[in-house]
Amino acid sequence: MADVNALFSRAEAQFRAGAHAAARADLLQLLPMVGEHVAVLHLLALSEARLGQRQAAEAAFRRALNAAPRDAQINNNFANLLKNVGDSEGALAHYTAALAANPALHAARLNRAGLLVQQGRAAEALPDIDALRRVSPDDPGLRLTGGAAMLALGQLDAAAADFDAVLAQRPEDAKALQGRARVSAQAGDDALALRLYRKAFSVSPTDPEVMLGLAEALEAMGEDSGLPLLAAAVEAHPGWLAGQDALARMRSEAGELADFDAGYRRARTKMPDDAPLASGHVACLMRAERYADAIITLDQWVARAGRSPEADRFEAMLASEVGDLQRADAAFGRVGDDPALAPAHARHLLRKRDPMAAAALLEPLALADLGAVNHWAYLAIAWRMLDGPRHEWLALQPGLVGTQAIEIDLAALAEVLRGLHRSRAHPVGQSLRGGTQTRTRLFGRDIPILKEVEKGIRRGIEGHQRGMPGVDARHPLLRFRDAPLEFSGSWSVRLADGGFHVAHVHPEGVLSSAFYVVVPEARGTEGWLEVGAPPPELGLGLPPLHLIEPRPGQLALFPSTMFHGTRPFASGERMTIAFDARA
């Protein structure tokens, strides 16, 4: 009979040497001798994970945790596996279990913080990051995670300090270079961002995220080499969805509207049975409002792979958008009660002129989440069609919509903004037509005229708040009547002859805006801002609740829950600054 201790020691040595298959063989031989031994099961789980055997690894981890449910290291390693296979909530639960068992296990705390940042929950990661800073303030892994969190929260100086600290220790760290480049891009220093991305690329030339950052940095500097660089990377990695989406956006903004999704189409000829790729292609076409093309692509996917809940959700939305209301009804019926699809379902019900059903669907969801902008936007339409006092309370109270005058050197501001508009066409998925939109945030850049206009706009927001009705804790905007508001996004739009905005809302804000820098010559109501009109494609025929004439130096403000768009203008230039504000 083999010596148990010797066999386990050999398995450990093989694992450390990277001979994971040999380690697994020894551990499988060992298990019948020792039973559900925690250390053996744990090492077996790690070996299976290194070999890419996800199901076997998960089974071994669960057996190990069944024997030792409070083992901090096993919980942490199992969480790592779950994170890598996309089970974020499961991973968070096991990181938390690891910390409950051993609060001093810094790896679990750092891993949990990093996952929260990846999920877009940076504020929730701050307690873990702060706790780790007190213990290991100079740890490079902590500074990378802290920098990513600060960047996500818009604290650019703090993010730069974290990434710079890593680079002081490890000048060739690709993640730190990439993070610092993103800070520079957000701050408007496109030249520095490009230099940093080039250095990151020299260190890690096969990292897709670095290639994407470099391509976008080249684009931001007005260089044409970014698009072919990204196209080559996507060609080499056809299943890379983030790259495919970025390539589609870049092609769209370069004016290649007919072929903006060419990367997806080529990839799907190579990988016709890849469900995530097909799903990504359909979603990309939907963002571009190419609904007829999207439903053809969806039907091709379903013909190969059969129905699925995801395909049913796409079918419900797309069938409604192309006017096949019976098909949409059937698909929504198959989907059932899906809160995430509620705004799309309500949109469909409104298109069918059934506001009562739309209101019944949305009311409990909107009242439970005052920040659910899309829910409130469609609920406002339903309440308006039902002609009740609830719509007056939500959208018609005096002071919700208004204008403020901002004193600024408009000519100097216009010159700076024109220099930031470097694309040639509107981006996929945005509301403008016949113009361009700046990409990274406008406010926070180290440009004096932008700092000045930001201060003026902040004063304008405060003036608007003072003119609003009193605080109402039940209202999606008035609950913040007396609260300080911060920018959740800021950008500039430049429209040319025939340009306009389609009706849309801003899900990231509570108060939305348009600050007019340049306006075309007035011809009736051409170019005017419409607030409160439902999207015309719903066919409801309801007029706007407010019409605002664009005037240079004027700031228009309105609840983010109100649909808004602009009327086309025949010729000239219309340039604005827009932002969302939230508490």
Side-chain angles (χ1 to χ4, degrees):
M1 181 176 179
D3 181 271
V4 168
N5 291 330
L7 196 56
F8 185 69
S9 295
R10 187 173 74 180
E12 286 184 309
Q14 289 167 333
F15 181 85
R16 287 193 297 269
H20 302 119
R24 177 178 62 179
D26 281 348
L27 293 165
L28 290 174
Q29 181 184 348
L30 189 57
L31 268 176
M33 305 177 194
V34 297
E36 297 294 281
H37 192 284
V38 172
V40 174
L41 288 168
H42 188 194
L43 188 57
L44 176 61
L46 294 172
S47 299
E48 298 284 17
R50 296 291 177 87
L51 291 166
Q53 301 299 315
R54 182 187 67 80
Q55 291 181 334
E58 183 172 343
F61 270 122
R62 292 195 184 281
R63 289 169 66 186
L65 285 172
N66 187 56
R70 289 183 51 79
D71 188 293
Q73 195 61 59
I74 297 174
N75 272 290
N76 180 59
N77 288 335
F78 186 30
N80 290 338
L81 173 74
L82 294 174
K83 179 187 72 172
N84 291 337
V85 300
D87 184 0
S88 297
E89 292 308 313
L92 287 173
H94 282 281
Y95 286 137
T96 300
L99 289 167
N102 181 7
L105 185 59
H106 301 321
R109 196 171 298 281
L110 182 59
N111 289 335
R112 184 170 69 177
L115 180 54
L116 287 168
V117 173
Q118 289 175 20
Q119 288 189 301
R121 299 161 63 181
E124 295 177 53
L126 292 183
D128 281 338
I129 292 171
D130 291 342
L132 290 168
R133 288 193 196 276
R134 290 191 290 271
V135 178
S136 304
D138 297 321
D139 177 73
L142 169 61
R143 300 304 290 262
L144 285 172
T145 300
M150 295 300 103
L151 179 59
L153 294 170
Q155 299 181 28
L156 299 188
D157 290 342
D162 275 327
F163 292 127
D164 286 342
V166 177
L167 292 171
Q169 298 180 55
R170 305 191 308 214
E172 304 294 306
D173 189 297
K175 289 189 180 298
L177 287 165
Q178 185 180 9
R180 189 62 178 85
R182 291 177 61 205
V183 172
S184 299
Q186 288 289 327
D189 192 342
D190 295 328
L192 177 57
L194 179 55
R195 289 199 300 273
L196 289 164
Y197 271 122
R198 279 183 164 143
K199 186 173 182 180
F201 184 70
S202 71
V203 172
S204 187
T206 60
D207 185 331
E209 294 302 319
V210 172
M211 285 189 277
L212 173 56
L214 177 57
E216 291 184 332
L218 289 164
E219 177 193 35
M221 287 295 291
E223 298 190 22
D224 294 333
S225 55
L227 199 157
L229 173 69
L230 183 57
V234 167
E235 189 73 22
H237 305 279
W240 177 31
L241 299 187
Q244 290 282 9
D245 286 337
L247 181 60
R249 179 197 61 75
M250 289 178 69
R251 282 192 164 127
S252 170
E253 293 188 33
E256 300 179 17
L257 299 180
D259 289 326
F260 86 105
D261 66 328
Y264 267 118
R265 285 187 274 112
R266 279 197 296 272
R268 294 192 61 229
T269 61
K270 299 177 183 177
M271 305 163 63
D273 296 317
D274 188 293
L277 186 64
S279 172
H281 191 195
V282 173
C284 179
L285 290 166
M286 284 187 66
R287 286 192 296 273
E289 299 182 7
R290 298 264 291 269
Y291 299 124
D293 291 336
I295 204 165
I296 291 170
T297 302
L298 173 67
D299 288 342
Q300 293 169 346
W301 170 23
V302 171
R304 294 189 69 92
R307 291 195 184 280
S308 67
E310 183 180 24
D312 284 341
R313 287 191 289 271
F314 277 129
E315 183 177 357
M317 293 184 285
L318 287 169
S320 183
E321 295 302 328
V322 299
D324 192 341
L325 302 187
Q326 287 186 331
R327 182 178 178 183
D329 280 337
F332 277 117
R334 290 195 302 274
V335 170
D337 185 14
D338 184 349
L341 206 62
H345 195 182
R347 180 179 169 93
H348 171 64
L349 292 169
L350 292 170
R351 183 177 271 123
K352 293 175 61 181
R353 295 181 177 270
D354 190 351
M356 189 170 294
L361 172 66
L362 290 174
E363 282 171 6
L365 298 171
L367 293 172
D369 183 0
L370 297 183
V373 169
N374 285 320
H375 294 70
W376 282 102
Y378 287 108
L379 182 57
I381 298 172
W383 280 353
R384 182 179 179 183
M385 293 173 71
L386 293 170
D387 195 26
R390 294 174 299 180
H391 179 254
E392 294 183 12
W393 166 81
L394 177 62
L396 294 180
Q397 296 187 64
L400 291 177
V401 178
T403 61
Q404 298 281 322
I406 307 297
E407 295 292 331
I408 192 77
D409 185 341
L410 292 172
L413 179 59
E415 182 179 359
V416 167
L417 292 177
R418 290 188 185 106
L420 299 176
H421 283 273
R422 293 177 177 143
S423 56
R424 292 190 285 274
H426 68 265
V428 169
Q430 299 298 329
S431 66
L432 65 150
R433 301 292 183 269
T436 60
Q437 179 172 314
T438 57
R439 286 189 50 244
T440 55
R441 72 177 194 171
L442 207 60
F443 297 151
R445 292 172 179 253
D446 191 18
I447 300 175
I449 193 71
L450 293 182
K451 291 181 177 180
E452 185 180 347
V453 75
E454 178 184 350
K455 290 179 182 178
I457 285 174
R458 286 186 185 276
R459 290 192 294 269
I461 291 172
E462 292 167 0
H464 182 77
Q465 286 180 283
R466 288 192 295 271
M468 292 196 306
V471 173
D472 184 340
R474 303 167 302 144
H475 193 281
L477 173 58
L478 293 179
R479 60 190 170 133
F480 298 126
R481 194 267 189 197
D482 294 337
L485 299 181
E486 295 296 331
F487 299 116
S488 60
S490 54
W491 59 95
S492 172
V493 170
R494 186 184 187 191
L495 299 177
D497 300 355
F500 65 99
H501 285 268
V502 299
H504 63 289
V505 293
H506 293 259
E508 299 302 318
V510 296
L511 188 68
S512 294
S513 64
F515 174 62
Y516 298 100
V517 182
V518 178
V519 300
E521 182 180 348
R523 298 178 184 176
T525 60
E526 286 187 358
W528 284 33
L529 174 65
E530 297 184 344
V531 180
E537 62 269 21
L538 297 184
L540 301 178
L542 295 174
L545 300 173
H546 302 270
L547 265 177
I548 297 176
E549 179 183 2
R551 296 176 180 174
Q554 178 177 268
L555 172 65
L557 294 164
F558 44 88
S560 296
T561 53
M562 297 183 76
F563 275 100
H564 56 282
T566 65
R567 296 180 174 180
F569 58 91
S571 61
E573 178 189 29
R574 179 184 183 274
M575 188 154 56
T576 58
I577 289 174
F579 59 86
D580 293 320
R582 64 184 178 194

